[in-house]
Amino acid sequence: MASIVFTRECGSSDTQSLTDSVTDYPMENGRRYHRYHEGAYPYPNDEQELDRLDMQHHMFKLVMSGRLYHVPLEDPKEILDIGTGSGIWPIEMAPLFPHAAITGTDLSPVQPTEVPENVHFLVDDATEDDWLWNPNHFDFVHISHMTGAMPSFKELLRKAFTYTKPGAYLECHEMDPKPKCDDGTMPPENPDGYSAFALHDWYDLNMRSSKDVEPSRQFRIAPRIERWMKEVGFVDVKQQVFKIPTNTWPTDDHLKEVGKWSESNWLEALSGWSYKPFLALGWSKPEIEVFLVNVRKSIQDRNVHAYMDFFIVTGRKPSPGEV
């Protein structure tokens, strides 16, 4: 069992130790954040967040009937997981493909130090112009949960296209944070002020922060991934969309179970998802906390049958000579 972690600054040797500057994490508002390319990612990286990411991973597996991927993989040799977070996805992929080298990249070395020998973690920023490998390197690239994380998700897809082998696959997992409802139980949005359903306002404020505050970040990307993948050159692009209830309001047993995990995930994530975006809009921490009281109430309201869409989008890089 081994984990090899290095940074772009460390050069080409994967045996070099992490520089102190990468692990000297800043603490703000009682939460810990990335040091590498500080400010590029506005969400925490502390143990509380890593535990939540593992819980979220379990929720999405429940939605996907236990599956980790949805493309036809035949003896892949090189697999990449961008934004690996806690590293749980590469670790669970390892026994499925023991002969593949599975690499997870992230801005912080927060992954476990004891992992399967075919799993490695690198500290790197996927928005860099050049990645650490030669073009046409990977048999499978997995990207997940990049909402609000970068200025251009389409540009990330373009880079993934470059570093994916011809004939190989890309798969994206992303949740659309915009609240939806099919039966009229959710109060409407109010573009001129606060809504009766505070989750609307939370979404709108994040959209405003992602556009108006530098560096800008794309907060709503999931519904556009399918089009972007086609535009950068992928073929056989397929999209699946699953409903994730905000709480246990559904009568269907499976959706009720998903909603239970979803509610816990929201309540655990909400402060970490809100501090930096709202502080950048000029809010104070007390103002944020007062506002989040109503957001939590809206998430827990069983009378409002709200949900978010979870997107799985897959595509293949064309083989040489393929139109």
Side-chain angles (χ1 to χ4, degrees), residues 154 157 223-232 237 239 313:
K154 182 177 179 180
L157 296 177
R224 296 185 280 177
I225 294 175
E226 180 184 27
R227 172 168 58 86
W228 286 337
M229 285 179 66
K230 293 176 180 178
E231 289 174 353
V232 302
V237 176
Q239 174 177 282
V313 190

Side-chain angles (χ1 to χ4, degrees), residues 55-119:
M55 175 175 65
Q56 180 177 263
H57 174 79
H58 174 84
M59 178 185 73
F60 287 132
K61 277 181 64 178
L62 188 63
V63 173
M64 298 185 293
S65 302
R67 300 180 66 175
L68 294 172
Y69 65 95
H70 299 76
V71 298
L73 295 180
E74 298 180 5
D75 193 27
K77 295 296 187 287
E78 296 284 347
I79 297 175
L80 176 64
D81 182 35
I82 297 175
T84 195
S86 70
I88 193 170
W89 189 86
I91 290 170
E92 292 190 358
M93 284 286 284
L96 303 181
F97 300 100
H99 302 297
I102 306 174
T103 303
T105 64
D106 202 87
L107 293 174
S108 293
V110 293
Q111 302 76 32
T113 55
E114 295 294 326
V115 298
E117 290 194 1
N118 60 328
V119 172

